[in-house]
Amino acid sequence: MVYKKVPIVDTARRCGLVIDSRTLQRSEVEASCPFCGDRGVGKHHLSLNTDTDQYRCNLCGAKGNSITLYAQMKGISNKQAYQELKIGGNVYPIPQQPTPQKTERQPLSLEARHAAYTDMLEHLTLLDKHRENLLGRGLTEERIRQNQYRSMPETARGRRLLAGLLRAQGHELLGLPGFRTYCGDWTVSGPNGFLIPVRNKDGLIQGLKIRLDDESVPNRKYRWFSSRDMTGGTRSYSWVHVTGDTRKKRAYLTEGPLKGDVASFLARDALFVCIGGVNALGGLKDTIRDLGVIEVVEAMDMDQMTNPNVRKAVLAVRREVQSIRGLKYMKYTWNPAYKGVDDYLLSCAAGI
């Protein structure tokens, strides 16, 4: 396909960028950077090359061409950007001094996320240190393979390569949580660790959670795979994870997708519904209703017995579920020496 030339200065004007009129006769026109805000009014660190129709910020390093500039400013795909730009037009918005962008982009559809994340996991492997962690929790090699746990790529080059492979497969990364642009290139965002697929009742991957390698903050071991507030990035929601035999009419309720995966396996595929955190109740009632269960058994962590903040949050979860009409609700307790239901089941090697 032959692409029509899209002048970079015209594109900048259509994006409402502030241009230094004194540089308009030069091959390098200067403008205010919309990505970093130039750290002050009247600054012009964005260079617009009229020969190559490319841009680069000499302050933050953002770079790209006419199409990627328009796409990022408008929050649309490169394909949509080109279609709009080739139409032309000489009506420009009033230039506004830029401020650093804070994007609150909504995620792609569930089907698009599932397809992209499935291919993403196929490109990744599981490091030995992460495999040992999972085996130590009581999972088998076969269940680890079935659940598709994978290690995050640990180098900048590996992360850019992964993004490039997904784009080559036709996946849209704009709107896919965990992906962002850096200096004009797509890459993966997030700390090192291993990825945990968070699925709905039909097994579709809604999102991913990262079990962090860095354990310096004990109460922050898990983080959603997200690129919120990043250039080209997308937020993640705290999706409810479903694991185990969805044909069962009794569901156990706990916190954390990995904990649910392990407990379900140790309890012979018991059905577990797992919230992302004790305060993350969005979608919980709908998930339970959609499963068609008639009984929910609370299996939240035992630190609720000693931590008043946790107990308060657990009581809110309990009220939320008990508000579902016609549902039987019970509480499962175990030796409080074991914080989580997964720890307890592993200790006694028995089912529920």
Side-chain angles (χ1 to χ4, degrees), residues 140-158:
T140 62
E141 291 276 5
E142 176 61 19
R143 183 53 66 96
I144 291 172
R145 184 191 66 77
Q146 289 177 1
N147 289 353
Q148 293 182 289
Y149 305 115
R150 298 289 189 274
S151 301
M152 282 280 285
E154 297 187 335
T155 66
R157 182 176 179 275

mmCIF file of all heavy atoms in Angstrom, residues 140-158:
data_model
loop_
_atom_site.group_PDB
_atom_site.id
_atom_site.type_symbol
_atom_site.label_atom_id
_atom_site.label_comp_id
_atom_site.label_asym_id
_atom_site.label_seq_id
_atom_site.Cartn_x
_atom_site.Cartn_y
_atom_site.Cartn_z
ATOM 1 N N THR A 140 0.967 -28.942 40.560
ATOM 2 C CA THR A 140 1.773 -29.878 39.791
ATOM 3 C C THR A 140 2.247 -29.213 38.506
ATOM 4 O O THR A 140 1.748 -28.164 38.103
ATOM 5 C CB THR A 140 0.950 -31.122 39.428
ATOM 6 O OG1 THR A 140 -0.163 -30.712 38.594
ATOM 7 C CG2 THR A 140 0.426 -31.826 40.673
ATOM 8 N N GLU A 141 3.209 -29.839 37.857
ATOM 9 C CA GLU A 141 3.704 -29.329 36.576
ATOM 10 C C GLU A 141 2.562 -29.219 35.563
ATOM 11 O O GLU A 141 2.476 -28.243 34.810
ATOM 12 C CB GLU A 141 4.798 -30.251 36.023
ATOM 13 C CG GLU A 141 6.097 -30.254 36.797
ATOM 14 C CD GLU A 141 7.010 -29.099 36.388
ATOM 15 O OE1 GLU A 141 6.581 -28.260 35.570
ATOM 16 O OE2 GLU A 141 8.142 -29.047 36.899
ATOM 17 N N GLU A 142 1.676 -30.202 35.568
ATOM 18 C CA GLU A 142 0.569 -30.210 34.621
ATOM 19 C C GLU A 142 -0.402 -29.064 34.889
ATOM 20 O O GLU A 142 -0.850 -28.389 33.966
ATOM 21 C CB GLU A 142 -0.171 -31.551 34.699
ATOM 22 C CG GLU A 142 -1.416 -31.634 33.817
ATOM 23 C CD GLU A 142 -1.122 -31.462 32.325
ATOM 24 O OE1 GLU A 142 0.044 -31.639 31.909
ATOM 25 O OE2 GLU A 142 -2.067 -31.144 31.570
ATOM 26 N N ARG A 143 -0.712 -28.811 36.167
ATOM 27 C CA ARG A 143 -1.638 -27.732 36.469
ATOM 28 C C ARG A 143 -0.987 -26.369 36.191
ATOM 29 O O ARG A 143 -1.668 -25.442 35.747
ATOM 30 C CB ARG A 143 -2.104 -27.812 37.920
ATOM 31 C CG ARG A 143 -3.155 -26.752 38.315
ATOM 32 C CD ARG A 143 -4.351 -26.751 37.362
ATOM 33 N NE ARG A 143 -5.121 -27.936 37.400
ATOM 34 C CZ ARG A 143 -6.224 -28.111 38.126
ATOM 35 N NH1 ARG A 143 -6.669 -27.135 38.886
ATOM 36 N NH2 ARG A 143 -6.888 -29.249 38.070
ATOM 37 N N ILE A 144 0.289 -26.261 36.412
ATOM 38 C CA ILE A 144 1.003 -25.022 36.085
ATOM 39 C C ILE A 144 0.907 -24.749 34.589
ATOM 40 O O ILE A 144 0.676 -23.615 34.156
ATOM 41 C CB ILE A 144 2.482 -25.117 36.540
ATOM 42 C CG1 ILE A 144 2.557 -25.113 38.073
ATOM 43 C CG2 ILE A 144 3.311 -23.970 35.956
ATOM 44 C CD1 ILE A 144 3.938 -25.398 38.627
ATOM 45 N N ARG A 145 1.066 -25.813 33.801
ATOM 46 C CA ARG A 145 0.967 -25.660 32.343
ATOM 47 C C ARG A 145 -0.455 -25.275 31.947
ATOM 48 O O ARG A 145 -0.651 -24.376 31.116
ATOM 49 C CB ARG A 145 1.368 -26.970 31.660
ATOM 50 C CG ARG A 145 1.398 -26.893 30.135
ATOM 51 C CD ARG A 145 1.535 -28.265 29.517
ATOM 52 N NE ARG A 145 0.364 -29.084 29.773
ATOM 53 C CZ ARG A 145 -0.791 -28.952 29.127
ATOM 54 N NH1 ARG A 145 -0.935 -28.030 28.179
ATOM 55 N NH2 ARG A 145 -1.812 -29.744 29.420
ATOM 56 N N GLN A 146 -1.444 -25.942 32.515
ATOM 57 C CA GLN A 146 -2.842 -25.657 32.181
ATOM 58 C C GLN A 146 -3.230 -24.210 32.520
ATOM 59 O O GLN A 146 -3.953 -23.559 31.760
ATOM 60 C CB GLN A 146 -3.767 -26.621 32.932
ATOM 61 C CG GLN A 146 -3.720 -28.054 32.444
ATOM 62 C CD GLN A 146 -4.610 -28.956 33.274
ATOM 63 O OE1 GLN A 146 -5.290 -28.510 34.214
ATOM 64 N NE2 GLN A 146 -4.617 -30.249 32.946
ATOM 65 N N ASN A 147 -2.745 -23.721 33.648
ATOM 66 C CA ASN A 147 -3.111 -22.378 34.088
ATOM 67 C C ASN A 147 -2.344 -21.270 33.357
ATOM 68 O O ASN A 147 -2.644 -20.092 33.531
ATOM 69 C CB ASN A 147 -2.916 -22.243 35.593
ATOM 70 C CG ASN A 147 -3.936 -23.029 36.395
ATOM 71 O OD1 ASN A 147 -4.880 -23.583 35.848
ATOM 72 N ND2 ASN A 147 -3.760 -23.078 37.704
ATOM 73 N N GLN A 148 -1.328 -21.638 32.586
ATOM 74 C CA GLN A 148 -0.604 -20.705 31.719
ATOM 75 C C GLN A 148 0.104 -19.577 32.469
ATOM 76 O O GLN A 148 0.107 -18.432 32.038
ATOM 77 C CB GLN A 148 -1.544 -20.105 30.665
ATOM 78 C CG GLN A 148 -2.058 -21.108 29.648
ATOM 79 C CD GLN A 148 -2.937 -20.461 28.607
ATOM 80 O OE1 GLN A 148 -4.064 -20.043 28.887
ATOM 81 N NE2 GLN A 148 -2.438 -20.361 27.382
ATOM 82 N N TYR A 149 0.719 -19.905 33.604
ATOM 83 C CA TYR A 149 1.527 -18.902 34.283
ATOM 84 C C TYR A 149 2.787 -18.652 33.444
ATOM 85 O O TYR A 149 3.373 -19.581 32.891
ATOM 86 C CB TYR A 149 1.938 -19.384 35.676
ATOM 87 C CG TYR A 149 0.776 -19.794 36.555
ATOM 88 C CD1 TYR A 149 0.611 -21.109 36.968
ATOM 89 C CD2 TYR A 149 -0.160 -18.853 36.978
ATOM 90 C CE1 TYR A 149 -0.445 -21.488 37.778
ATOM 91 C CE2 TYR A 149 -1.228 -19.223 37.786
ATOM 92 C CZ TYR A 149 -1.363 -20.537 38.176
ATOM 93 O OH TYR A 149 -2.426 -20.910 38.968
ATOM 94 N N ARG A 150 3.191 -17.407 33.362
ATOM 95 C CA ARG A 150 4.372 -17.036 32.583
ATOM 96 C C ARG A 150 5.150 -15.936 33.304
ATOM 97 O O ARG A 150 4.584 -15.148 34.064
ATOM 98 C CB ARG A 150 3.983 -16.527 31.194
ATOM 99 C CG ARG A 150 3.276 -17.529 30.302
ATOM 100 C CD ARG A 150 4.209 -18.633 29.821
ATOM 101 N NE ARG A 150 3.580 -19.458 28.807
ATOM 102 C CZ ARG A 150 2.808 -20.507 29.039
ATOM 103 N NH1 ARG A 150 2.548 -20.863 30.301
ATOM 104 N NH2 ARG A 150 2.277 -21.204 28.049
ATOM 105 N N SER A 151 6.451 -15.860 33.020
ATOM 106 C CA SER A 151 7.296 -14.825 33.606
ATOM 107 C C SER A 151 7.273 -13.571 32.747
ATOM 108 O O SER A 151 7.238 -13.645 31.514
ATOM 109 C CB SER A 151 8.736 -15.332 33.730
ATOM 110 O OG SER A 151 8.800 -16.492 34.537
ATOM 111 N N MET A 152 7.291 -12.429 33.396
ATOM 112 C CA MET A 152 7.384 -11.154 32.689
ATOM 113 C C MET A 152 8.743 -11.072 31.990
ATOM 114 O O MET A 152 9.758 -11.488 32.546
ATOM 115 C CB MET A 152 7.258 -9.988 33.675
ATOM 116 C CG MET A 152 5.858 -9.691 34.130
ATOM 117 S SD MET A 152 4.926 -8.722 32.916
ATOM 118 C CE MET A 152 5.668 -7.104 33.136
ATOM 119 N N PRO A 153 8.799 -10.534 30.758
ATOM 120 C CA PRO A 153 10.101 -10.300 30.136
ATOM 121 C C PRO A 153 10.879 -9.288 30.974
ATOM 122 O O PRO A 153 10.320 -8.276 31.403
ATOM 123 C CB PRO A 153 9.747 -9.748 28.752
ATOM 124 C CG PRO A 153 8.329 -9.301 28.851
ATOM 125 C CD PRO A 153 7.676 -10.110 29.907
ATOM 126 N N GLU A 154 12.166 -9.557 31.235
ATOM 127 C CA GLU A 154 12.912 -8.752 32.199
ATOM 128 C C GLU A 154 13.797 -7.693 31.572
ATOM 129 O O GLU A 154 14.406 -6.893 32.289
ATOM 130 C CB GLU A 154 13.739 -9.668 33.105
ATOM 131 C CG GLU A 154 12.872 -10.612 33.947
ATOM 132 C CD GLU A 154 13.664 -11.395 34.967
ATOM 133 O OE1 GLU A 154 14.883 -11.596 34.734
ATOM 134 O OE2 GLU A 154 13.091 -11.795 35.999
ATOM 135 N N THR A 155 13.905 -7.656 30.249
ATOM 136 C CA THR A 155 14.737 -6.645 29.602
ATOM 137 C C THR A 155 13.872 -5.723 28.753
ATOM 138 O O THR A 155 12.804 -6.114 28.274
ATOM 139 C CB THR A 155 15.806 -7.293 28.705
ATOM 140 O OG1 THR A 155 15.169 -7.959 27.599
ATOM 141 C CG2 THR A 155 16.637 -8.305 29.495
ATOM 142 N N ALA A 156 14.350 -4.493 28.558
ATOM 143 C CA ALA A 156 13.617 -3.526 27.728
ATOM 144 C C ALA A 156 13.494 -4.044 26.298
ATOM 145 O O ALA A 156 12.443 -3.887 25.662
ATOM 146 C CB ALA A 156 14.335 -2.177 27.749
ATOM 147 N N ARG A 157 14.533 -4.671 25.803
ATOM 148 C CA ARG A 157 14.502 -5.217 24.443
ATOM 149 C C ARG A 157 13.463 -6.328 24.330
ATOM 150 O O ARG A 157 12.696 -6.397 23.355
ATOM 151 C CB ARG A 157 15.878 -5.753 24.060
ATOM 152 C CG ARG A 157 15.953 -6.307 22.636
ATOM 153 C CD ARG A 157 17.370 -6.733 22.281
ATOM 154 N NE ARG A 157 17.441 -7.276 20.937
ATOM 155 C CZ ARG A 157 17.179 -8.530 20.608
ATOM 156 N NH1 ARG A 157 16.813 -9.396 21.550
ATOM 157 N NH2 ARG A 157 17.256 -8.943 19.356
ATOM 158 N N GLY A 158 13.410 -7.199 25.331
ATOM 159 C CA GLY A 158 12.435 -8.284 25.314
ATOM 160 C C GLY A 158 11.007 -7.781 25.376
ATOM 161 O O GLY A 158 10.102 -8.334 24.745
#
